[in-house]
Amino acid sequence: MTATAVPAGLLYGRLLALAARRSGDAATLRRADGYAEPLPLERWLAPADGVDAAVLARVRAPALDVGCGPGRHVAALQAAGCRALGLDLSPVAVSITRKRGADALLGSVFEDVPDAGAWRTVLLLDGNVGIGGAPRALLRRARQLLAPGGLIVAELDPPGTPTERVEVRLEGADAVSEWFAWARVGVDDAETVAAAAGLGVAWTLEAGGRCFAGLGAL
């Protein structure tokens, strides 16, 4: 019997809560072409690792973590004395972030954001540059939130990965989400995508098989 599709945000919260209680089965992100990959909820729930630390060392306060999930980046930044705020659409993610002792708000980056125009760093990590399937629009919005001289720190896909808009859904053991738009941005295309949002590439970093870029206003 085929499971009835539920809203993606609802299933994400359910899967995250189960993983936090260590009682969930594997969660998957599936593309419309059938390709599927594990959703790394356990890594997101764990403390920031060495790769995260290498990226966060480049962050200047105050920092806004867009799509903060369960808040490992915000918690690590605040533990290091860096003022940071997480922003996420999932009530479960915001609740877990706050339980870690970190600050987070429920909301969308495309709506009212506190201190817009004053953030020195906007984080788009764990693939969040793909939010909404429109990375150029997302980067333009993130640019509006930056203080003069600020940077967007984005996680990108490895060299050779195409930049593309895809339809994806979340899958759990007994539920699937509705399809929603996402995007992938390969590090090879960082300059092109950034330029379309009026940004330049200040630096790139490869660590632990993951790729990152600092993007600033031209």
Side-chain angles (χ1 to χ4, degrees):
M1 182 177 178
T2 303
T4 301
V6 301
L10 180 63
L11 183 56
Y12 171 66
R14 185 188 306 170
L15 294 170
L16 195 57
L18 288 170
R21 296 198 297 267
R22 301 185 183 280
S23 57
D25 294 313
T28 299
L29 181 71
R30 185 177 299 278
R31 299 192 334 193
D33 63 8
Y35 176 80
E37 58 186 334
L39 200 64
L41 297 176
E42 290 76 15
R43 178 166 66 83
W44 296 345
L45 285 160
D49 60 19
V51 175
D52 296 322
V55 177
L56 298 180
R58 297 175 177 239
V59 168
R60 295 179 294 171
L64 178 70
D65 187 0
V66 175
C68 67
R72 77 186 191 282
H73 300 124
V74 182
L77 287 169
Q78 292 189 185
C82 175
R83 186 164 74 86
L85 176 69
L87 183 69
D88 205 285
L89 287 171
S90 167
V92 174
V94 170
S95 176
I96 293 174
T97 299
R98 290 173 176 171
K99 287 178 181 177
R100 294 176 109 149
D103 296 323
L105 290 179
L106 183 67
S108 166
V109 67
F110 292 105
E111 297 173 353
D112 290 337
V113 175
D115 299 323
W119 298 99
R120 295 185 70 196
T121 307
V122 172
L123 297 174
L124 292 171
L125 302 180
D126 295 328
N128 285 335
V129 72
I131 288 173
R136 293 167 179 82
L138 177 60
L139 290 174
R140 284 193 292 269
R141 174 54 177 157
R143 181 186 174 187
Q144 293 173 347
L145 303 177
L146 286 176
L151 285 181
I152 299 164
V153 177
E155 183 166 357
L156 307 175
D157 282 293
T161 304
T163 295
E164 58 184 350
R165 185 182 187 275
V166 293
E167 294 292 316
V168 298
R169 75 179 184 186
L170 303 177
E171 298 182 355
D174 57 1
V176 299
S177 80
E178 298 168 341
W179 294 98
F180 59 96
W182 201 255
R184 303 180 69 182
V185 177
V187 67
D188 297 336
D189 295 325
E191 291 188 1
T192 300
V193 174
L199 300 164
V201 178
W203 52 261
T204 59
L205 171 70
E206 190 281 327
R210 297 164 62 191
C211 297
F212 307 88
L215 311 176
L218 293 171

